[in-house]
Amino acid sequence: MLNTEICARRADAISRGVGVTTQVYAETARNAEIWDVEGRRYIDFAAGIAVVNTGHRHPKVIEAVKDQLDRFTHTCHQVVPYENYVRLAERLNDLVPGNFKKKTVFVTTGAEAVENAVKIARAATNRSAVIAFTGGFHGRTFMGMTLTGKVVPYKTGFGAMMPDVFHVPFPTELHGTTVEDSLGVLDKLFKADVDPNRVAAFIIEPVQGEGGFYEVPRAFMLRLRELADKHGILLIADEVQTGFARTGKTFAMEHFGIAADLTTMAKGLGGGFPIAAVTGRADIMDAPGPGGLGGTYGGNPIGIAAGNAVLDIIEEEKLNERAEQLGARLKQRLQSLVGPVPQIADIRGPGFMNAVEFNIPGTTTPNAEFTNKVRETALSKGLILLTCGVYGNVVRFLAPLTIEDNVYAEALDILEETLRECAGA
């Protein structure tokens, strides 16, 4: 079977709305490596978009899932509950930042977690407005894409968005927007468009994912917390992509020394199995009445078993420390290439949530063409990379935190070879 054959079948059978980054069709995978249907090996620097932080088929995750399969696969927690759902909730209540009592609800996807966080915030505050940020990504459901601060491809052609959602420029000094600029727009928003006493929540990614891996400036996050407290607004931290050791902390909000009222999570929690959650202040989480939250597959036993295993792995294998080590090595290698690769405009990211941004040399003009060339060239050499950013000029690095040292060294060599080759061309 050939990749091209499956590609033709895919084009005939699957909606074109489901985009794909590569035409590599996976056959098997282990830790940070994928083999396609033609037997070619790739080093995976995507990790299913920060899902398999613990690597493909981590033995402890697979063991936990197999054990659960031998017991039961689905009862619907709202009909016949199970203990490991309670146990995972207890563990997240302890791990999510915040020195206050917390409660958790499990759902299936990151977008669903965001939707439920907004529902909870509205129920708790009796307010309806939500403020999000340009460049943010919060999912493809209607509320998720309304909150998302990027039109193409997420909003194009889908008609009117959800009401009472407002956007403020995300502070990115590299693109000329300072913390003061963003706060100024927020102040004008409160004066011209929405009474702060009608705002239920701010929602923000501690590090923007699809938006380009820009970390929230500490001063801005602190000020956002102050404004939330002043006006009775809840702060929602969207940790769907930043969670579970990716940034060198179990949750990225730990870097700021403050706590959100509600935290959404998914991706890395399941180690490859679908599960998502909202964890927050107990009184806020209890605002919706019985039946107001949940879903048929929410907290599926398989995903719950995987989630408990992932938390064990993060602790036992010290993945927060591992993320810091891997990120430091990557950024050091990229820094050494700034001269030979003049397209490099910025190297950034906490822990192992790193990115390199490319501009046209000698300008501040984003260079999406060069960025895509890097991705394609790396793929031809056996390294899977992802691009992101509002301008499409950022390569983000999301390899599993469990990647073996020798495989990582090989990947860094491929990356350097790719960048030098593309810059020379």
Side-chain angles (χ1 to χ4, degrees):
M1 191 179 303
L2 300 176
N3 286 308
T4 52
E5 294 173 346
I6 306 174
C7 178
R9 289 166 52 201
R10 180 189 181 283
D12 187 58
I14 296 173
S15 167
R16 74 187 185 106
V18 182
V20 293
T21 301
T22 76
Q23 291 299 336
V24 172
Y25 288 82
E27 178 70 20
T28 60
R30 183 186 65 241
N31 201 2
E33 298 169 281
I34 294 175
W35 287 264
D36 72 7
V37 292
E38 297 175 14
R40 184 172 183 190
R41 167 184 171 266
Y42 294 85
I43 300 174
D44 184 11
F45 264 40
I49 315 182
V51 168
V52 287
N53 289 352
T54 52
H56 294 281
R57 296 192 300 119
H58 191 291
K60 290 187 178 179
V61 172
I62 299 304
E63 180 183 3
V65 167
K66 285 182 176 178
D67 180 67
Q68 184 60 52
L69 284 170
D70 287 338
R71 297 172 185 271
F72 59 92
T73 61
H74 181 76
T75 63
C76 184
H77 184 265
Q78 293 120 266
V79 179
V80 179
Y82 27 95
E83 183 275 337
N84 58 349
Y85 183 114
V86 178
R87 177 157 44 94
L88 185 56
E90 291 170 336
R91 297 177 75 179
L92 291 177
N93 292 341
D94 288 338
L95 287 169
V96 169
N99 187 25
F100 43 79
K101 181 172 175 55
K102 306 182 202 78
K103 289 190 176 183
T104 292
V105 60
F106 291 108
V107 288
T108 310
T109 69
E112 195 179 357
V114 167
E115 293 270 348
N116 278 275
V118 171
K119 286 169 58 178
I120 293 164
R122 285 177 165 177
T125 61
N126 290 313
R127 304 174 180 185
S128 59
V130 183
I131 295 174
F133 297 87
T134 58
F137 179 81
H138 302 287
R140 291 179 174 86
T141 53
F142 257 96
M143 178 54 78
M145 70 177 174
T146 303
L147 294 168
T148 292
K150 184 179 179 181
V151 173
V152 180
Y154 306 117
K155 303 183 185 186
T156 303
F158 295 120
M161 297 292 106
M162 298 292 287
D164 254 3
V165 172
F166 302 87
H167 286 90
V168 170
F170 185 87
T172 310
E173 292 206 18
L174 185 66
H175 293 287
T177 303
T178 66
V179 168
E180 291 72 23
D181 292 333
S182 295
L183 291 173
V185 172
L186 181 56
D187 183 59
K188 290 178 182 177
L189 184 71
F190 285 158
K191 286 179 169 61
D193 292 304
V194 60
D195 182 345
N197 294 315
R198 200 166 62 75
V199 177
F202 296 119
I203 183 167
I204 193 166
E205 298 167 279
V207 183
Q208 288 198 328
E210 296 290 323
F213 277 33
Y214 301 106
E215 189 173 6
V216 177
R218 179 178 175 80
F220 187 76
M221 187 70 85
L222 295 177
R223 183 61 179 146
L224 211 58
R225 178 72 271 178
E226 290 173 2
L227 288 169
D229 293 338
K230 176 182 178 180
H231 296 293
I233 299 169
L234 301 183
L235 178 60
I236 302 172
D238 185 339
E239 295 246 23
V240 170
Q241 192 162 160
T242 56
F244 304 100
R246 175 55 58 184
T247 68
K249 302 285 187 183
T250 304
F251 290 97
M253 286 299 290
E254 295 175 59
H255 291 285
F256 300 95
I258 61 171
D261 299 295
L262 296 166
T263 300
T264 62
M265 65 200 82
K267 290 186 182 289
L269 174 59
F273 293 87
I275 186 169
V278 183
T279 298
R281 293 179 180 272
D283 57 330
I284 293 170
M285 293 295 293
D286 279 343
L293 304 177
T296 302
Y297 283 102
N300 174 272
I302 306 303
I304 292 286
N308 275 305
V310 164
L311 295 186
D312 290 341
I313 294 163
I314 290 172
E315 181 179 359
E316 293 167 5
E317 299 188 16
K318 296 181 172 55
L319 293 189
N320 285 316
E321 293 88 340
R322 177 69 171 164
E324 293 285 0
Q325 295 162 3
L326 293 169
R329 288 175 61 186
L330 173 60
K331 285 183 281 190
Q332 183 179 38
R333 179 68 74 95
L334 289 169
Q335 197 64 46
S336 72
L337 294 169
V338 169
V341 185
Q343 289 85 355
I344 294 176
D346 192 32
I347 298 162
R348 59 178 174 268
F352 200 30
M353 188 171 182
N354 308 132
V356 58
E357 183 160 347
F358 300 109
N359 285 347
I360 294 173
T363 76
T364 58
T365 303
N367 197 339
E369 182 180 355
F370 180 83
T371 306
N372 196 50
K373 181 65 175 176
V374 168
R375 183 191 64 79
E376 292 177 343
T377 303
L379 185 66
S380 72
K381 297 176 184 296
L383 177 63
I384 297 173
L385 298 176
L386 289 175
T387 60
C388 65
V390 173
Y391 304 100
N393 68 321
V394 179
V395 169
R396 52 179 159 168
F397 302 97
L398 288 169
L401 307 177
T402 50
I403 187 170
E404 299 96 333
D405 284 337
N406 63 314
V407 176
Y408 192 48
E410 180 186 355
L412 292 184
D413 288 344
I414 295 173
L415 177 62
E416 178 171 348
E417 180 184 337
T418 296
L419 289 173
R420 288 181 179 274
E421 180 179 318
C422 291

